[in-house]
Amino acid sequence: MLEDIPRTESYKRAITLSNMFKNKIVMDVGAGTGILSLFCAQAGAKKVYAVEASKIASIALENVKENNFADVVEVIQSRVEDLPESIKVDIIVSEWMGFYLLHESMIDSVIHARDKHLKPGGKIFPEYATLNCALCSASPLFTTNWDNIFGHKMSSMRVLERQSLMAKPQVEMLEEEDILSVSRNILTIDMNSVTVQDVSAIRSKVFIATHNSGIYQGVVLWFDVTFPEPDEENEEASAEIVQLDTSPFSPQTHWKQTIILWPEDREVEEGDIVAFELFLGRSNPESRSYVIQLSELDAATEEHPVPCECGSAKCDVVRAFLENCDDNNEDQDMLSIN
Amino acid sequence: MLEDIPRTESYKRAITLSNMFKNKIVMDVGAGTGILSLFCAQAGAKKVYAVEASKIASIALENVKENNFADVVEVIQSRVEDLPESIKVDIIVSEWMGFYLLHESMIDSVIHARDKHLKPGGKIFPEYATLNCALCSASPLFTTNWDNIFGHKMSSMRVLERQSLMAKPQVEMLEEEDILSVSRNILTIDMNSVTVQDVSAIRSKVFIATHNSGIYQGVVLWFDVTFPEPDEENEEASAEIVQLDTSPFSPQTHWKQTIILWPEDREVEEGDIVAFELFLGRSNPESRSYVIQLSELDAATEEHPVPCECGSAKCDVVRAFLENCDDNNEDQDMLSIN
């Protein structure tokens, strides 16, 4: 975590600028080296439980002592699931996010800690998370010119390379120009209410118009998380809502982006409508590991949602009509579109 | 292999410029995509056995066909150890080298192929390999300033970091300025005669003077390989002896360098004499995996070799005396130094 500056900086800003930690009891779920606990202590918490299951807990304790916060931060080497129920906290902080938000994440532990240890009205840092997708080219994955390998042609290597890259989601940094469409939200998590079940299987149909011409090679996923809104009534608090965004349009993090490749390249023109279904699910019910399936849909025959932002003439007409109905305070439920 | 330009370029130069392949029968041990076999065919070989145990053999065959060498290159999907003894070749080519030359290398298979398939007087590409060491700083491994982690001190992380980095040899690219001494050869392999036993355990005492002041953090290993000297009597042959060098003073390869860290930093002054023993051995007798042990010796009390190039006054005197003896054609065996 320490080497990922956008990540740690966003936590530091959210914790130290919010003014919400003064005299509060905090739990840091998966504390690691204890850096988030130190931020909480620095922000005025009266007690921080730094909960870390691995042996690095002993290092966290050294770090706490070295920074003279041993009277505030209590390092507990334990699984969060094994803590006594009597511990109650005002705020939970955790850096729990995995690749494409969910893969190998610690969200289950944070949900567990919330249900067992967070006082009513307590806050969770971060509070919201969204998972987003877009069409992309994946140029960083295809850098070899197989038509000239030290003077020889090896075009059959392209098939092998594609198969090998398709075998699993690719974690890679894309450039802004690799993004060929607007992005679509496929999951929003409210940490105040999300359940383990809610994030066990996510299925999303996406209809999307390309906004650039280019070679479309796959779908890219990224996430962002948003920290609680500072208390408006607290004059000392910053007005800033802190967000950590792992898109190609933000400073790169160790999460990079995740690319799910299509079997072949597709050439798209600006405005082409592409439809696909994404499925993300745990590899087994107890697992923190996820699998992703990407299936192509036929945008012409598949039923679009209502309203749909794909940009097709039909969907635009429907959407305009719906907005008009809305303006006239008519009941949208009366509408039936086939 | 294909993305490592210094590696593949050196094989290409050695094979295509030597003029030794005209009308020869060649075996490519561990052919992979078949690129070395293509170089051999391009260089005029009349027959190339491209031996590859894995499924990539089918891709190698496609590559051979695409470059119109199917009449020259025969791709054989097989372990080289399972080939019929009747195959006899004039030249063996192989890119067999592992990290620090030996770790996970294919040298055993090349030795096997030589003993079973190489005609008397046949050539091996590459022909020689050396393993070298030097004292080094390891600055690329220590980039975190633990005294300021987002405003907090975490000096106990240094111990954890060092322990974690010492747990195994570190494959990392050093810069020229990280090298604090001359290099010392600790192993030279002649592929014409080396046995599997010869490379199963290597123990070397090294006495070496630092040539730069600095923080000495460990010992760095790298290797080079040298291809057969072109036939002088062949007027068409290049005069160049091709070498592939993986030192920090040559263009970087995927092998990078290998650093074995000392438990603590040592500050050295230019001319300090450092002594250590390196042991490299198979992790078990059948394994292609190696372990490395680095032990410090006391340069003041340990008996130096004769002659010794460590640079100490005593060793310089002995060496000068020996050279003088040599000049006078006296028998060096008469000398006894304690």
Side-chain angles (χ1 to χ4, degrees), chain A residues 2-3 8 12 33 35 39 42 59 62-63 66-67 144 146 149-150 152-157, chain B residues 2-3 8-9 12 33 35 42 59 62-63 66-67 144 146 149-150 152-157:
Chain A
L2 301 175
E3 286 175 8
T8 311
K12 182 176 182 177
T33 62
I35 185 71
F39 293 152
Q42 183 186 356
I59 298 287
E62 292 302 315
N63 293 337
E66 185 171 18
N67 293 283
T144 307
W146 295 112
I149 300 297
F150 298 89
H152 297 278
K153 290 187 83 166
M154 293 196 170
S155 49
S156 62
M157 292 291 289
Chain B
L2 301 175
E3 285 176 8
T8 311
E9 271 296 345
K12 182 175 182 177
T33 61
I35 185 71
Q42 183 185 357
I59 298 287
E62 292 302 315
N63 292 337
E66 185 172 17
N67 293 282
T144 307
W146 296 112
I149 299 297
F150 298 90
H152 296 278
K153 290 187 82 167
M154 294 197 169
S155 48
S156 62
M157 291 292 289

Side-chain angles (χ1 to χ4, degrees), chain A residues 17-251:
Chain A
L17 299 182
S18 75
N19 220 32
M20 271 189 263
F21 285 75
K22 283 241 169 88
N23 298 315
K24 291 297 196 309
I25 304 174
V26 182
M27 181 181 289
D28 178 0
V29 176
T33 62
I35 185 71
L36 299 190
S37 295
L38 291 174
F39 293 152
C40 296
Q42 183 186 356
K46 73 175 173 194
K47 174 82 181 180
V48 182
Y49 297 101
V51 185
E52 171 56 44
S54 81
K55 283 184 186 169
I56 204 174
S58 66
I59 298 287
L61 179 59
E62 292 302 315
N63 293 337
V64 167
K65 287 180 188 166
E66 185 171 18
N67 293 283
N68 303 314
F69 284 124
D71 55 336
V72 176
V73 181
E74 178 180 347
V75 178
I76 305 176
Q77 184 173 352
S78 167
R79 291 174 70 242
V80 73
E81 289 80 1
D82 299 334
L83 293 178
E85 196 153 348
S86 57
I87 296 180
K88 298 295 174 191
V89 302
D90 303 300
I91 301 176
I92 289 173
V93 300
S94 183
E95 195 284 84
W96 56 265
M97 298 82 75
F99 291 105
Y100 54 91
L101 189 61
L102 294 174
H103 183 62
E104 302 289 358
S105 92
M106 291 196 304
I107 192 170
D108 296 358
S109 295
V110 178
I111 292 170
H112 181 99
R114 178 198 68 200
D115 293 345
K116 195 163 134 194
H117 302 292
L118 191 65
K119 296 179 191 173
K123 288 283 182 191
I124 305 180
F125 281 67
E127 187 171 21
Y128 298 101
T130 76
L131 183 60
N132 310 291
C133 71
L135 304 176
C136 69
S137 81
S139 51
L141 298 177
F142 298 101
T143 55
T144 307
N145 175 10
W146 295 112
D147 288 333
N148 183 356
I149 300 297
F150 298 89
H152 297 278
K153 290 187 83 166
M154 293 196 170
S155 49
S156 62
M157 292 291 289
R158 280 199 191 90
V159 178
L160 190 72
E161 179 183 49
R162 191 86 176 206
Q163 282 173 350
S164 149
L165 291 169
M166 281 185 64
K168 57 173 189 175
Q170 296 293 315
V171 175
E172 186 62 68
M173 287 188 197
L174 293 185
E175 303 288 334
E176 289 187 29
E177 54 266 31
D178 289 318
I179 306 305
L180 301 180
S181 73
V182 294
S183 69
R184 282 292 159 78
N185 173 273
I186 55 174
L187 175 69
T188 294
I189 295 175
D190 179 347
M191 293 302 292
N192 299 297
S193 56
V194 65
T195 66
V196 169
Q197 197 55 36
D198 289 341
V199 292
S200 290
I202 295 101
R203 194 178 292 278
S204 181
K205 280 189 189 179
V206 179
F207 297 81
I208 202 165
T210 60
H211 65 196
N212 274 344
S213 299
I215 303 293
Y216 153 50
Q217 296 176 308
V219 171
V220 55
L221 298 175
W222 67 79
F223 67 87
D224 59 59
V225 299
T226 308
F227 294 90
E229 196 167 349
D231 184 358
E232 279 184 21
E233 293 174 19
N234 187 327
E235 286 179 8
E236 288 177 55
S238 154
E240 183 188 12
I241 299 174
V242 178
Q243 191 181 57
L244 167 58
D245 178 18
T246 68
S247 83
F249 307 102
S250 290

Side-chain angles (χ1 to χ4, degrees), chain B residues 134-142 174-175 177-180 214-220 259 261:
Chain B
L135 304 176
C136 69
S137 81
S139 52
L141 298 178
F142 299 100
L174 292 185
E175 302 289 334
E177 54 267 29
D178 289 319
I179 306 305
L180 300 180
I215 303 293
Y216 153 50
Q217 297 177 307
V219 171
V220 55
I259 303 158
L261 284 177

Side-chain angles (χ1 to χ4, degrees), chain B residues 185-196:
Chain B
N185 173 273
I186 54 174
L187 175 68
T188 295
I189 294 174
D190 179 348
M191 293 300 292
N192 298 297
S193 56
V194 65
T195 66
V196 169

Side-chain angles (χ1 to χ4, degrees), chain B residues 26 35 47 55 60 71 76 85 92 109 113-114 127 155 159 188 191 199 203 225 233-234 242 255 257 268 277 300 336:
Chain B
V26 181
I35 185 71
K47 174 83 183 181
K55 282 184 186 169
D71 54 336
I76 306 177
E85 196 155 346
I92 289 173
S109 295
R114 178 198 67 198
E127 188 171 20
S155 48
V159 179
T188 295
M191 293 300 292
V199 292
R203 194 177 292 278
V225 299
E233 293 174 20
N234 187 327
V242 178
W255 288 287
Q257 288 85 44
V268 291
E277 185 175 81
S336 162

Side-chain angles (χ1 to χ4, degrees), chain B residues 53-127:
Chain B
S54 80
K55 282 184 186 169
I56 203 175
S58 66
I59 298 287
L61 179 60
E62 292 302 315
N63 292 337
V64 166
K65 286 180 187 165
E66 185 172 17
N67 293 282
N68 302 313
F69 283 124
D71 54 336
V72 176
V73 181
E74 179 180 347
V75 177
I76 306 177
Q77 183 173 353
S78 168
R79 292 174 69 240
V80 73
E81 289 79 0
D82 299 334
L83 294 177
E85 196 155 346
S86 57
I87 296 179
K88 298 295 175 190
V89 302
D90 302 300
I91 301 175
I92 289 173
V93 300
S94 183
E95 196 284 84
W96 55 266
M97 297 83 74
F99 291 106
Y100 55 90
L101 189 62
L102 294 175
H103 183 62
E104 301 290 357
S105 91
M106 290 198 305
I107 191 170
D108 296 358
S109 295
V110 179
I111 292 171
H112 181 100
R114 178 198 67 198
D115 293 345
K116 196 163 134 193
H117 302 292
L118 191 64
K119 295 179 191 172
K123 290 283 183 191
I124 306 181
F125 282 66
E127 188 171 20

